[in-house]
Every structure is written in C-alpha cells, then in structure tokens.
Amino acid sequence: MIRLGAEVKSIVVLGAHCDDIAIGAGGTLLEICEQRPGLQVDALVLSGGGTDRETEERAALAAFCPGAELNVTVLKLPDGRLPSHWEEAKNALEDLRRRTDPDVVFAPRTIDAHQDHRGLAQLVPTVFRGHLTLGYEIVKWDGDLGRLPAYAPLSDDVMQRKIELLHEHYGSQQHRPWYDREAFLGLARIRGIECQERYAEAFEANKLVIDLRG
C-alpha cells in the first residue's frame, strides 16, 4: 500500500464538466482534505462557466474540500466539443501549471469513452510532466468501466457523505437516469471488494516512480 503522507501540501483537480470531479473523486477529496487542514486545492473545470452549473460546482467543491485553500476556475468551453477547442484547453492547463506545482493531480482517465473526459486526460501529461496523476472514473451508459490499478478506500461515513453532497449540490443532474444513490454506491462497493475494503474509488495511474533509496 502506498500512502500519501503529510508532505502532500498541494493538489490539482481537473474536470471537463461541472460534477465530474465530485463524482469521480469526491470521497477521496473529503478524506484528503479532512486529514490535511490548509491543503492547497486548485480546481479547473473546462465547461459550464457563467451558468447555474458553475454556481453548483463552486458550492459543491467547497463542501468536498473542507478546510482547504480552494481556488476554482470554471471555463466556458462548449459541452461535447473539446476536440475542437484543444488550444483553449491546453492554454488553460498551462496557465494553471504556471501558478502551482502540485504533489498530486486528479483528472479523468485516458480510456474514458466521453470525448471531453478523454481529451482532457490526454492533455494532462503534456503539461503536468512528472507529476503523480490519478485518473478517476465516471459511470455512464457507454459501458467503459474496466480494471484500474489504484484504489482509495473510503469509510462508510465518507461514502454516505459523498452521496449526500452529490444530491445536495447538483440539482441540475438529478433527472438523469444514472444519477442516483444505487449507481454511486454500487460502483464504490465493487471497487471496495477489489481492494478488500468496504468502499473505494478507483483510479488510473499512468506512471508511478518508486523511490527505494533510504
């Protein structure tokens, strides 16, 4: 088991859409922020800026990052059109990189079926070179879930709070057939079984450097 120790002072969380970060890594954010008061969290979301979704996202991330020094940027790229706005997305990531040097980056997986998620994931290593990047998963109709190598175990309490916060803050999404307690709890239970825990969030890890020196 690899532990993210007290030396973690800064993280970056990236999403293509408002709610991506909270769905994919909300429980992990709750855990890491509660254990490290004053943690620097920089969040960048590529779409939803200037709409009610931005208002939802800012309130949600504040709740998912208790006690953190949180900075949130929500851009106005059109939903579902990231490939045609590649340069704008790349520039936004590079601007963020100039402002922070995180210990961990949370972003979508590179094998995500949604073009916006996948496109953002592919941009991340071109900007955050050498950083530990964990790619979160989002359940959807595409059926793109698979085997992931990294797990963040979640307590019962944290998992319940994640679900409560998702329903409290993202009212605009609750009409969607996949946006319900059973979906979120079911995936977390499966990932928990895989890592011999009750619940967990699972992540892609494209590159890990293991330092075995004393």
Side-chain angles (χ1 to χ4, degrees):
M1 178 181 293
I2 298 175
R3 298 185 182 277
L4 296 180
E7 66 273 10
V8 175
K9 304 294 185 184
S10 172
I11 67 174
V12 159
V13 289
L14 304 171
H17 317 101
C18 297
D19 78 19
D20 285 354
I21 295 168
I23 291 173
T28 303
L29 285 179
L30 283 169
E31 291 274 19
I32 197 171
C33 289
E34 288 183 345
Q35 294 174 19
R36 297 164 179 81
L39 179 74
Q40 180 68 42
V41 179
D42 289 284
L44 172 65
V45 181
L46 298 183
S47 64
T51 71
D52 290 342
R53 297 217 63 198
E54 177 178 358
T55 302
E56 289 181 337
E57 183 76 338
R58 290 184 178 278
L61 290 179
F64 275 103
C65 300
E69 295 293 330
L70 176 65
N71 294 310
V72 180
T73 301
V74 183
L75 303 183
K76 299 181 179 181
L77 273 61
D79 188 353
R81 297 294 185 269
L82 179 58
S84 61
H85 293 267
W86 196 259
E87 185 173 358
E88 295 169 70
K90 178 70 176 289
N91 288 342
L93 285 173
E94 290 179 338
D95 180 63
L96 176 59
R97 176 64 182 91
R98 283 189 289 269
R99 294 186 277 113
T100 186
D101 185 22
D103 299 297
V104 186
V105 177
F106 292 93
R109 301 173 304 150
T110 58
I111 58 173
D112 196 295
H114 193 297
Q115 68 271 18
D116 291 353
H117 301 170
R118 186 173 63 252
L120 174 56
Q122 291 169 348
L123 279 171
V124 172
T126 72
V127 177
F128 290 94
R129 300 176 182 273
H131 293 79
L132 172 61
T133 300
L134 300 176
Y136 56 76
E137 60 182 345
I138 297 176
V139 64
K140 63 181 82 65
W141 67 268
D142 303 86
D144 61 357
L145 299 178
R147 297 185 64 181
L148 295 176
Y151 299 87
L154 304 176
S155 67
D156 286 29
D157 177 64
V158 166
M159 191 62 219
Q160 297 303 328
R161 286 168 55 206
K162 172 182 176 176
I163 294 173
E164 290 170 3
L165 291 175
L166 286 173
H167 283 85
E168 176 183 350
H169 290 287
Y170 294 108
S172 66
Q173 302 304 297
Q174 294 185 31
H175 68 285
R176 300 185 181 276
W178 54 265
Y179 198 97
D180 61 36
R181 177 185 180 84
E182 290 181 331
F184 300 135
L185 200 63
L187 179 59
R189 181 69 185 108
I190 290 170
R191 296 312 190 189
I193 291 170
E194 292 173 350
C195 67
Q196 301 183 43
E197 298 282 351
R198 182 65 180 172
Y199 300 111
E201 289 173 339
F203 299 92
E204 176 187 77
N206 287 337
K207 184 184 293 185
L208 291 173
V209 178
I210 302 173
D211 188 353
L212 300 179
R213 297 168 296 182

